[in-house]
Amino acid sequence: MIRNYFKLMQNHPCKNQKGFTLLELILAMSIVAIIVALGLGGVRLGISARDVGEQKVETYQRLRIISEQLKQKLQSTYPVFVSQKDGVPGVTVPVTSKRILAFEGNTDSIRFVTFATPMTVSDPTTLTHEVKFYIGEHPETEQTGVILMERDVSGGDVFSRIDPRSDSVRYFLMAENAAQMKFRYYLMKKLP
């Protein structure tokens, strides 16, 4: 009986065979693997593009904060004069000596007296303070970048030597790892 069954099966193969061959299965898995690899590559590219975009936004935000602070402080300046003796600002000298404007400008720093609100207001009645924007190292944290120095000058200590350890001096890191900052100045002649 078993012989008859095998003869019958050889002469009449099953027409309703369902399933995949090994070749079809390998081909389908390869196509799925390629689609997954392309999808992951696109996701990775999207994540790196987002990171670069966030970094640019943060940089432009920092630049905007620095320019707004500088603009606010410069708009609130008023000519403050100090005496000088032997080219050293802040030294008390007789009234007959030459007065100089309390302003110091270099290519990479600017220092002046302003009446704008300081970044940290400890006493709201004293708004007069000295400001310096420069690229350098923060004296307390030792981070490098664009530094804003504010010093209370309500006591009359205008444009003297800056002592970083003084209680009246405050430093703020405006932008970390800044490589360069340039200022340009125009010399104006006094009209008669």
Side-chain angles (χ1 to χ4, degrees), residues 5-192:
Y5 177 74
F6 281 120
K7 283 185 182 180
L8 184 64
M9 290 303 283
Q10 285 176 354
N11 294 336
H12 302 296
C14 263
K15 294 180 182 177
N16 193 11
Q17 293 181 358
K18 294 184 179 178
F20 298 106
T21 63
L22 183 60
L23 180 62
E24 290 172 336
L25 188 61
I26 290 174
L27 185 61
M29 293 297 283
S30 300
I31 291 171
V32 168
I34 289 171
I35 291 172
V36 167
L38 290 174
L40 290 177
V43 168
R44 192 174 331 138
L45 182 65
I47 289 172
S48 66
R50 185 200 65 200
D51 291 344
V52 168
E54 285 178 355
Q55 204 171 26
K56 283 184 181 181
V57 165
E58 183 180 333
T59 300
Y60 287 125
Q61 185 73 4
R62 284 283 183 187
L63 288 173
R64 189 186 65 77
I65 289 170
I66 292 169
S67 65
E68 285 296 318
Q69 279 294 318
L70 187 57
K71 182 176 107 178
Q72 177 189 16
K73 305 262 187 226
L74 282 172
Q75 284 178 343
S76 299
T77 58
Y78 186 81
V80 174
F81 291 93
V82 293
S83 300
Q84 75 171 0
K85 182 177 182 182
D86 299 328
V88 180
V91 178
T92 307
V93 294
V95 180
T96 59
S97 67
K98 183 180 179 185
R99 297 182 322 148
I100 61 168
L101 182 64
F103 179 86
E104 179 183 276
N106 297 318
T107 57
D108 61 348
S109 69
I110 187 170
R111 180 180 174 194
F112 55 92
V113 176
T114 184
F115 296 92
T117 306
M119 285 188 68
T120 59
V121 181
S122 56
D123 184 9
T125 59
T126 60
L127 295 178
T128 306
H129 62 284
E130 187 177 318
V131 171
K132 182 175 183 180
F133 284 88
Y134 66 97
I135 290 199
E137 188 175 283
H138 193 287
E140 297 159 2
T141 63
E142 297 181 0
Q143 293 175 306
T144 59
V146 177
I147 307 290
L148 165 64
M149 183 276 307
E150 291 183 332
R151 180 171 75 160
D152 182 25
V153 292
S154 59
D157 190 21
V158 179
F159 243 64
S160 61
R161 185 165 183 215
I162 300 170
D163 181 16
R165 296 178 303 273
S166 173
D167 291 337
S168 64
V169 178
R170 289 189 173 76
Y171 292 91
F172 302 96
L173 180 66
M174 302 295 286
E176 195 173 3
N177 297 326
Q180 174 178 357
M181 180 170 61
K182 288 186 179 181
F183 293 102
R184 292 189 303 177
Y185 308 96
Y186 298 100
L187 182 61
M188 298 181 68
K189 293 184 179 179
K190 198 174 192 179
L191 298 174

